[in-house]
Coordinates of all heavy atoms in Angstrom, one line a residue:
M1 N 78.2 65.8 30.1 CA 77.4 64.7 29.9 C 78.2 63.6 29.2 O 78.8 63.9 28.2 CB 76.2 65.1 29.3 CG 75.3 63.9 28.8 SD 73.9 64.4 28.0 CE 72.9 65.3 29.2
Q2 N 78.0 62.4 29.7 CA 78.7 61.1 29.0 C 77.6 60.6 27.9 O 76.4 60.9 28.1 CB 78.9 60.1 30.1 CG 79.9 60.5 31.1 CD 81.3 60.7 30.6 OE1 81.7 59.9 29.8 NE2 82.0 61.7 31.0
L3 N 78.1 60.0 26.9 CA 77.4 59.4 25.9 C 76.3 58.4 26.6 O 75.1 58.5 26.0 CB 78.2 58.7 24.9 CG 77.6 58.3 23.6 CD1 77.0 59.6 22.9 CD2 78.6 57.7 22.7
A4 N 76.6 57.7 27.5 CA 75.6 56.8 28.2 C 74.5 57.6 28.8 O 73.4 57.1 28.7 CB 76.3 55.9 29.3
D5 N 74.9 58.8 29.3 CA 73.7 59.7 30.1 C 72.9 60.1 28.9 O 71.6 60.1 29.1 CB 74.4 60.7 30.7 CG 75.2 60.4 31.9 OD1 75.0 59.2 32.5 OD2 76.3 60.9 32.2
F6 N 73.5 60.5 27.8 CA 72.6 61.1 26.7 C 71.6 60.0 26.3 O 70.4 60.3 26.1 CB 73.5 61.5 25.5 CG 72.7 61.9 24.2 CD1 72.0 63.1 24.3 CD2 72.3 61.0 23.2 CE1 71.4 63.6 23.1 CE2 71.6 61.3 22.2 CZ 71.0 62.6 22.2
F7 N 72.1 58.8 25.9 CA 71.1 57.8 25.5 C 70.2 57.2 26.6 O 69.1 56.8 26.3 CB 71.9 56.6 24.9 CG 72.5 56.9 23.5 CD1 73.8 57.0 23.4 CD2 71.7 57.2 22.5 CE1 74.3 57.3 22.1 CE2 72.1 57.6 21.3 CZ 73.4 57.6 21.0
R8 N 70.6 57.4 27.8 CA 69.6 57.1 28.9 C 68.5 58.1 29.0 O 67.2 57.8 29.1 CB 70.3 57.0 30.2 CG 69.4 56.6 31.5 CD 70.2 56.6 32.7 NE 71.3 57.6 33.0 CZ 70.9 58.9 33.4 NH1 69.6 59.2 33.6 NH2 71.9 59.7 33.5
I9 N 68.8 59.4 28.8 CA 67.8 60.5 28.8 C 67.0 60.5 27.5 O 65.9 60.8 27.6 CB 68.6 62.0 29.0 CG1 69.2 61.9 30.4 CG2 67.5 62.9 28.9 CD1 70.1 63.0 30.7
N10 N 67.6 60.2 26.4 CA 66.9 60.2 25.1 C 67.0 58.8 24.5 O 67.4 58.5 23.6 CB 67.7 61.0 24.0 CG 67.9 62.5 24.7 OD1 66.9 63.2 24.5 ND2 69.0 62.8 25.1
A11 N 66.1 58.0 25.2 CA 66.0 56.5 24.9 C 65.4 56.2 23.6 O 65.6 55.2 23.0 CB 65.3 55.8 26.0
H12 N 64.7 57.2 23.1 CA 64.0 56.9 21.7 C 64.6 58.1 21.0 O 64.2 59.3 21.1 CB 62.5 57.1 21.8 CG 62.0 56.0 22.7 ND1 62.0 54.6 22.3 CD2 61.4 56.0 24.0 CE1 61.4 54.0 23.2 NE2 61.0 54.8 24.3
T13 N 65.5 57.9 19.9 CA 66.2 58.8 19.3 C 66.2 58.6 17.8 O 66.3 57.4 17.3 CB 67.7 58.8 19.9 OG1 67.6 59.0 21.2 CG2 68.5 59.9 19.1
A14 N 66.2 59.7 17.0 CA 66.4 59.5 15.5 C 67.8 60.0 15.4 O 68.3 60.8 16.0 CB 65.4 60.6 14.8
L15 N 68.5 59.3 14.3 CA 69.8 59.6 13.9 C 70.0 59.8 12.5 O 69.7 59.0 11.7 CB 70.6 58.4 14.4 CG 72.2 58.5 14.0 CD1 72.9 59.5 14.8 CD2 72.8 57.1 14.4
G16 N 70.5 61.0 12.2 CA 70.9 61.3 10.7 C 72.2 60.3 10.5 O 73.2 60.5 11.1
F17 N 71.9 59.3 9.6 CA 73.0 58.3 9.4 C 73.5 58.3 8.1 O 72.8 58.1 7.1 CB 72.3 57.0 9.7 CG 73.3 55.7 9.8 CD1 74.2 55.7 10.8 CD2 73.3 54.8 8.7 CE1 75.1 54.6 10.9 CE2 74.2 53.8 8.8 CZ 75.1 53.7 9.9
S18 N 74.9 58.5 8.0 CA 75.5 58.5 6.7 C 76.3 57.1 6.4 O 76.6 56.9 5.2 CB 76.4 59.6 6.6 OG 77.6 59.4 7.5
G19 N 76.4 56.3 7.4 CA 77.3 55.2 7.3 C 78.7 55.5 7.5 O 79.6 54.6 7.5
G20 N 79.1 56.8 7.7 CA 80.5 57.2 8.2 C 80.9 56.8 9.5 O 80.1 56.3 10.3
V21 N 82.1 57.0 9.9 CA 82.7 56.7 11.2 C 81.9 57.3 12.3 O 81.4 56.5 13.3 CB 84.2 57.1 11.3 CG1 84.7 56.8 12.7 CG2 84.9 56.4 10.3
D22 N 81.5 58.5 12.2 CA 80.7 59.2 13.4 C 79.4 58.7 13.6 O 79.0 58.4 14.8 CB 80.7 60.8 13.1 CG 82.1 61.4 13.1 OD1 83.1 60.9 13.7 OD2 82.2 62.4 12.5
S23 N 78.6 58.7 12.5 CA 77.2 58.2 12.7 C 77.2 56.7 12.9 O 76.3 56.2 13.8 CB 76.3 58.5 11.6 OG 76.8 58.0 10.3
S24 N 78.1 55.9 12.4 CA 78.1 54.4 12.6 C 78.5 54.2 14.1 O 78.0 53.4 14.9 CB 79.3 53.8 11.7 OG 78.8 53.9 10.5
Y25 N 79.4 55.1 14.7 CA 79.7 54.9 16.2 C 78.6 55.3 17.0 O 78.2 54.5 18.0 CB 80.9 55.7 16.7 CG 81.2 55.6 18.0 CD1 81.8 54.5 18.6 CD2 80.9 56.6 18.8 CE1 82.0 54.4 19.9 CE2 81.0 56.5 20.3 CZ 81.6 55.4 20.7 OH 81.8 55.2 22.2
L26 N 77.9 56.3 16.6 CA 76.8 56.8 17.5 C 75.7 55.7 17.5 O 75.0 55.4 18.5 CB 76.2 58.1 17.1 CG 77.1 59.3 17.4 CD1 76.4 60.7 16.8 CD2 77.0 59.4 18.9
L27 N 75.3 55.0 16.4 CA 74.4 54.0 16.2 C 74.8 52.8 16.9 O 73.9 52.4 17.8 CB 74.2 53.6 14.8 CG 73.2 52.5 14.5 CD1 71.7 52.9 15.0 CD2 73.2 52.2 13.0
Y28 N 76.0 52.4 16.9 CA 76.6 51.2 17.7 C 76.4 51.6 19.2 O 76.0 50.7 19.9 CB 77.9 50.9 17.2 CG 78.5 49.8 18.1 CD1 78.2 48.5 17.9 CD2 79.4 50.2 19.1 CE1 78.8 47.5 18.6 CE2 79.9 49.2 20.0 CZ 79.6 47.8 19.7 OH 80.1 46.9 20.5
A29 N 76.9 52.7 19.6 CA 77.0 52.9 21.0 C 75.6 53.1 21.6 O 75.3 52.6 22.7 CB 77.8 54.4 21.3
G30 N 74.7 53.8 20.9 CA 73.3 53.9 21.3 C 72.7 52.6 21.6 O 72.0 52.3 22.6
L31 N 72.9 51.6 20.6 CA 72.3 50.4 20.8 C 72.9 49.6 22.0 O 72.3 48.9 22.7 CB 72.6 49.6 19.5 CG 71.8 49.9 18.3 CD1 72.3 49.2 17.0 CD2 70.4 49.8 18.4
Q32 N 74.3 49.8 22.2 CA 74.9 49.1 23.3 C 74.4 49.7 24.7 O 74.2 48.9 25.7 CB 76.4 49.4 23.3 CG 77.1 48.6 22.1 CD 77.0 47.1 22.2 OE1 77.2 46.5 23.2 NE2 76.4 46.6 21.1
Y33 N 73.9 50.9 24.7 CA 73.4 51.5 25.8 C 72.0 51.3 26.1 O 71.2 51.8 26.8 CB 73.7 53.0 25.9 CG 75.2 53.3 26.1 CD1 75.8 54.2 25.3 CD2 75.9 52.8 27.3 CE1 77.2 54.5 25.5 CE2 77.2 53.1 27.4 CZ 77.9 53.8 26.5 OH 79.2 54.1 26.7
G34 N 71.3 50.6 25.2 CA 69.8 50.2 25.1 C 68.9 51.1 24.5 O 67.8 51.1 24.9
A35 N 69.3 52.1 23.8 CA 68.5 53.2 23.3 C 67.8 52.6 22.1 O 68.2 51.6 21.4 CB 69.3 54.4 22.8
D36 N 66.7 53.0 21.8 CA 65.7 52.7 20.6 C 66.1 53.8 19.6 O 65.6 54.8 19.6 CB 64.3 52.6 20.9 CG 63.4 52.4 19.8 OD1 63.8 51.9 18.8 OD2 62.3 52.8 19.9
I37 N 67.0 53.5 18.6 CA 67.4 54.5 17.6 C 66.8 54.1 16.3 O 66.9 52.9 15.8 CB 69.0 54.5 17.6 CG1 69.6 54.8 18.9 CG2 69.4 55.5 16.5 CD1 71.0 54.9 19.0
Q38 N 66.4 55.1 15.6 CA 66.0 55.0 14.3 C 66.8 55.8 13.4 O 66.8 57.1 13.4 CB 64.5 55.6 14.0 CG 64.0 55.6 12.6 CD 64.1 54.0 12.1 OE1 63.3 53.3 12.5 NE2 65.0 53.8 11.1
P39 N 67.8 55.1 12.6 CA 68.6 55.7 11.7 C 68.0 56.2 10.4 O 67.2 55.4 9.8 CB 69.7 54.8 11.4 CG 69.0 53.5 11.7 CD 68.1 53.6 12.6
Y40 N 68.2 57.4 9.9 CA 67.7 58.0 8.7 C 68.9 58.2 7.7 O 69.8 58.9 8.1 CB 66.9 59.3 8.9 CG 65.6 58.9 9.6 CD1 65.4 59.0 11.0 CD2 64.4 58.7 8.9 CE1 64.4 58.6 11.6 CE2 63.2 58.5 9.5 CZ 63.2 58.4 10.9 OH 61.9 58.2 11.5
Y41 N 68.7 57.9 6.5 CA 69.6 58.3 5.5 C 69.0 59.1 4.4 O 68.0 58.8 3.9 CB 70.2 56.9 4.8 CG 71.3 57.2 3.7 CD1 72.7 57.2 4.1 CD2 71.0 57.5 2.4 CE1 73.7 57.4 3.3 CE2 72.0 57.6 1.5 CZ 73.4 57.6 1.9 OH 74.3 57.8 0.9
V42 N 69.5 60.3 4.2 CA 69.0 61.3 3.2 C 69.8 61.0 1.9 O 71.0 61.3 1.9 CB 69.1 62.7 3.6 CG1 68.6 63.6 2.6 CG2 68.4 63.0 5.0
R43 N 69.1 60.4 1.0 CA 69.7 60.0 -0.3 C 69.4 61.1 -1.4 O 68.3 61.4 -1.6 CB 69.1 58.7 -0.7 CG 69.8 58.1 -1.8 CD 69.3 56.6 -2.0 NE 70.1 55.9 -3.1 CZ 69.7 54.8 -3.6 NH1 68.5 54.3 -3.2 NH2 70.4 54.3 -4.5
S44 N 70.5 61.6 -1.9 CA 70.4 62.5 -3.0 C 71.5 62.2 -4.1 O 72.3 61.3 -3.9 CB 70.7 63.9 -2.5 OG 72.0 64.1 -2.0
A45 N 71.4 63.1 -5.1 CA 72.4 62.9 -6.2 C 73.8 63.2 -5.7 O 74.8 62.9 -6.5 CB 72.2 63.8 -7.5
F46 N 74.1 63.7 -4.5 CA 75.5 64.0 -4.1 C 76.1 62.9 -3.2 O 77.3 63.0 -3.0 CB 75.3 65.3 -3.2 CG 74.9 66.4 -4.0 CD1 73.6 66.9 -3.7 CD2 75.5 67.2 -4.7 CE1 73.0 68.0 -4.4 CE2 75.2 68.3 -5.5 CZ 73.8 68.7 -5.3
Q47 N 75.4 61.9 -2.9 CA 76.1 60.7 -2.2 C 76.2 59.6 -3.2 O 75.3 59.3 -3.9 CB 75.1 60.3 -1.1 CG 75.2 61.0 0.2 CD 74.2 62.2 0.1 OE1 73.3 62.1 -0.6 NE2 74.6 63.3 0.7
P48 N 77.4 58.9 -3.3 CA 77.6 58.0 -4.2 C 76.9 56.6 -3.6 O 76.6 56.5 -2.4 CB 79.2 57.6 -4.1 CG 79.6 58.5 -2.9 CD 78.6 59.5 -2.6
Q49 N 76.6 55.8 -4.6 CA 75.8 54.5 -4.3 C 76.5 53.7 -3.2 O 75.9 53.1 -2.4 CB 75.6 53.8 -5.6 CG 74.9 52.5 -5.4 CD 73.4 52.7 -5.0 OE1 72.7 53.7 -5.1 NE2 72.8 51.8 -4.3
F50 N 77.9 53.6 -3.3 CA 78.5 52.8 -2.4 C 78.3 53.3 -0.9 O 78.4 52.4 0.1 CB 80.1 52.7 -2.6 CG 81.0 53.9 -2.2 CD1 81.4 54.0 -0.9 CD2 81.2 54.9 -3.2 CE1 82.2 55.1 -0.5 CE2 82.0 56.0 -2.7 CZ 82.4 56.0 -1.5
E51 N 78.2 54.6 -0.7 CA 78.0 55.0 0.8 C 76.6 54.6 1.2 O 76.4 54.1 2.4 CB 78.0 56.6 0.8 CG 79.3 57.1 0.7 CD 79.3 58.6 1.0 OE1 78.3 59.2 1.1 OE2 80.4 59.2 1.0
Y52 N 75.6 54.6 0.3 CA 74.3 54.1 0.8 C 74.3 52.5 1.0 O 73.7 52.1 2.0 CB 73.2 54.4 -0.4 CG 71.9 53.9 -0.2 CD1 71.2 54.3 0.9 CD2 71.2 53.1 -1.1 CE1 69.8 53.9 1.1 CE2 70.0 52.6 -0.9 CZ 69.3 53.1 0.3 OH 68.0 52.6 0.6
E53 N 74.9 51.8 0.2 CA 75.1 50.4 0.4 C 75.8 50.2 1.6 O 75.4 49.1 2.3 CB 75.8 49.8 -0.9 CG 74.9 49.8 -2.0 CD 75.7 49.5 -3.4 OE1 77.0 49.0 -3.2 OE2 75.0 49.5 -4.4
D54 N 76.9 50.8 2.1 CA 77.6 50.7 3.3 C 76.6 50.9 4.4 O 76.7 50.2 5.5 CB 78.8 51.6 3.4 CG 80.0 51.2 2.5 OD1 80.0 50.1 1.9 OD2 80.9 52.0 2.3
A55 N 75.9 51.9 4.4 CA 74.9 52.2 5.4 C 73.9 51.2 5.6 O 73.6 50.8 6.7 CB 74.2 53.6 5.1
L56 N 73.4 50.7 4.5 CA 72.4 49.4 4.6 C 73.1 48.4 5.2 O 72.5 47.7 6.0 CB 71.9 49.2 3.2 CG 70.8 50.1 2.6 CD1 70.7 49.7 1.1 CD2 69.6 50.0 3.2
R57 N 74.3 48.0 4.8 CA 74.9 46.8 5.3 C 75.2 46.9 6.9 O 74.9 46.0 7.5 CB 76.3 46.7 4.5 CG 77.0 45.3 4.9 CD 78.3 44.9 4.1 NE 79.1 46.1 3.9 CZ 79.2 46.8 2.8 NH1 78.6 46.5 1.7 NH2 80.1 47.8 2.7
L58 N 75.7 48.1 7.2 CA 76.0 48.2 8.7 C 74.7 48.2 9.4 O 74.7 47.4 10.5 CB 76.7 49.5 9.0 CG 77.0 49.8 10.4 CD1 77.9 48.8 10.9 CD2 77.6 51.1 10.6
C59 N 73.7 48.7 9.1 CA 72.3 48.6 9.8 C 71.9 47.2 9.9 O 71.4 46.8 10.8 CB 71.3 49.5 9.1 SG 71.6 51.3 9.5
S60 N 72.0 46.5 8.7 CA 71.6 45.2 8.8 C 72.4 44.3 9.7 O 71.9 43.5 10.5 CB 71.7 44.5 7.3 OG 71.5 43.1 7.3
Q61 N 73.7 44.5 9.8 CA 74.5 43.8 10.6 C 74.2 44.1 12.1 O 74.4 43.3 12.9 CB 76.1 44.2 10.4 CG 76.6 43.6 9.2 CD 78.0 44.2 8.8 OE1 78.4 45.2 9.3 NE2 78.7 43.5 7.9
L62 N 73.7 45.3 12.5 CA 73.4 45.7 13.7 C 71.9 45.3 14.0 O 71.5 45.6 15.1 CB 73.7 47.2 14.0 CG 75.0 47.7 13.9 CD1 75.2 49.1 14.1 CD2 75.9 47.0 15.0
G63 N 71.2 44.9 13.0 CA 69.8 44.4 13.3 C 68.8 45.7 13.4 O 67.8 45.6 14.1
V64 N 69.1 46.7 12.7 CA 68.3 48.0 12.8 C 68.0 48.2 11.3 O 68.7 48.2 10.3 CB 69.1 49.3 13.2 CG1 68.3 50.3 13.3 CG2 69.7 48.9 14.6
K65 N 66.7 48.7 11.2 CA 66.2 48.9 9.7 C 66.4 50.5 9.5 O 66.2 51.3 10.2 CB 64.7 48.8 9.7 CG 64.1 49.1 8.3 CD 62.7 48.8 8.2 CE 62.3 49.2 6.7 NZ 61.0 49.3 6.4
L66 N 67.1 50.7 8.4 CA 67.5 52.0 7.9 C 66.3 52.6 7.1 O 65.9 51.9 6.2 CB 68.7 51.9 7.0 CG 69.2 53.3 6.4 CD1 69.7 54.2 7.6 CD2 70.3 53.0 5.4
K67 N 65.9 53.7 7.5 CA 64.9 54.5 6.7 C 65.5 55.5 5.9 O 66.4 56.2 6.3 CB 63.8 55.1 7.6 CG 63.0 54.2 8.5 CD 61.9 55.0 9.1 CE 61.1 53.8 9.9 NZ 59.8 54.4 10.5
T68 N 65.2 55.5 4.6 CA 65.8 56.3 3.5 C 64.8 57.4 3.2 O 63.5 57.1 2.9 CB 66.1 55.4 2.3 OG1 67.0 54.3 2.6 CG2 66.9 56.2 1.3
I69 N 65.3 58.6 3.1 CA 64.6 59.7 2.7 C 65.3 60.2 1.2 O 66.4 60.5 1.2 CB 64.7 60.9 3.7 CG1 64.1 60.6 4.9 CG2 64.0 62.2 3.0 CD1 64.4 61.5 6.1
E70 N 64.3 60.1 0.2 CA 64.9 60.4 -1.1 C 64.6 61.9 -1.4 O 63.5 62.4 -1.2 CB 64.0 59.5 -2.1 CG 64.2 58.1 -1.9 CD 65.5 57.5 -2.6 OE1 66.1 58.2 -3.3 OE2 65.7 56.3 -2.2
L71 N 65.7 62.5 -2.0 CA 65.6 63.9 -2.3 C 65.7 64.0 -3.8 O 66.5 63.3 -4.5 CB 66.6 64.8 -1.6 CG 66.5 64.9 -0.2 CD1 67.7 65.8 0.3 CD2 65.2 65.6 0.2

């Protein structure tokens, strides 16, 4: 299965989003393929603040609202 096929079949998708390379690519690609993606960031004491800020910034640049789950 190609990534385009996945997002066509799963047009409404939740994405565990860290702001790292992998999840950033999936968010970008899904949006390019027309999917409605909701990124979620799980925030805990184990993630540094800069990672959260990077995730927020990227979502803002892509026009997507990042939902944060606080642990």
Side-chain angles (χ1 to χ4, degrees):
M1 175 182 290
Q2 299 291 317
L3 197 53
D5 297 329
F6 174 83
F7 285 117
R8 183 177 41 79
I9 294 167
N10 301 284
H12 302 284
T13 303
L15 174 65
F17 188 72
S18 68
V21 175
D22 296 333
S23 62
S24 294
Y25 177 74
L26 286 174
L27 178 59
Y28 174 79
L31 293 171
Q32 292 300 305
Y33 291 127
D36 177 23
I37 300 178
Q38 178 57 66
Y40 289 90
Y41 185 91
V42 179
R43 192 170 182 193
S44 73
F46 299 104
Q47 282 84 26
Q49 181 65 24
F50 77 87
E51 285 184 0
Y52 180 59
E53 292 168 2
D54 286 349
L56 285 170
R57 184 175 48 254
L58 181 60
C59 285
S60 176
Q61 290 172 343
L62 294 175
V64 178
K65 183 176 180 191
L66 178 64
K67 291 194 178 179
T68 303
I69 300 170
E70 300 280 347
L71 290 182

